[in-house]
């Protein structure tokens, strides 16, 4: 599902096209697009976008740096090895950004991108 506003970035910036080494298509249908995201230790993805609202499920967290252009916006803190576990969060559409894995272990996540679906936007008629 998009924000209703025109997307200002070209389709070539889509994660699957702009960052194919870290994004792999797992499922694509009329309701969702599911991406597997893998960033190896020491790697930094090319700049890319995510146009849809989504749910990010991180099952192998790692220390990362999050960039918009050359500007570092976020760096995750070190975690003890006992602080593992699945993390789930809601994601808004993201303009151009890249992620760098600064950990010794890989980063792995599943991103479920929601698509617009006409039946979701219409009120349901209920009788009775």
């Amino acid at each position: 599902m998009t924000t209703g506003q025109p997307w200002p970035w070209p389709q070539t910036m889509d994660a699957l096209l702009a960052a194919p080494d870290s994004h792999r298509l797992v499922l694509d249908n009329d309701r969702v697009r599911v991406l597997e995201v893998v960033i190896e230790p020491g790697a930094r993805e090319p700049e890319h976008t995510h146009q849809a609202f989504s749910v990010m499920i991180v099952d192998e967290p790692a220390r990362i740096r999050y960039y918009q252009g050359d500007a570092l916006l976020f760096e995750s803190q070190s975690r003890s090895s006992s602080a593992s576990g699945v993390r789930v969060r809601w994601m808004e559409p993201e303009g151009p950004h890249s992620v760098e894995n600064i950990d010794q272990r890989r980063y792995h996540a599943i991103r479920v991108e929601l698509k617009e679906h006409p039946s979701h936007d219409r009120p349901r008629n209920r009788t009775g």
Side-chain angles (χ1 to χ4, degrees), residues 20-61:
D21 290 343
S22 56
H23 293 79
R24 182 178 68 87
L25 184 64
V26 177
L27 174 71
D28 191 10
N29 64 31
D30 65 332
R31 295 179 184 240
V32 296
R33 180 173 85 158
V34 180
L35 305 177
E36 178 182 39
V37 182
V38 176
I39 308 170
E40 297 296 338
R44 180 174 172 180
E45 311 173 293
E47 194 170 54
H48 63 280
T49 63
H50 294 276
Q51 186 174 353
F53 291 97
S54 62
V55 174
M56 180 76 94
I57 304 158
V58 180
D59 60 348
E60 292 180 37

Side-chain angles (χ1 to χ4, degrees), residues 55-98:
V55 174
M56 180 76 94
I57 304 158
V58 180
D59 60 348
E60 292 180 37
R63 286 196 63 219
I64 60 166
R65 290 185 181 135
Y66 182 94
Y67 297 89
Q68 283 184 343
D70 291 329
L72 175 63
L73 294 187
F74 172 79
E75 182 174 317
S76 60
Q77 301 299 310
S78 296
R79 297 186 188 268
S80 68
S81 59
S82 63
S84 62
V86 175
R87 293 171 181 81
V88 179
R89 61 181 253 198
W90 176 255
M91 303 290 289
E92 298 290 323
E94 291 181 275
H97 68 281
S98 65

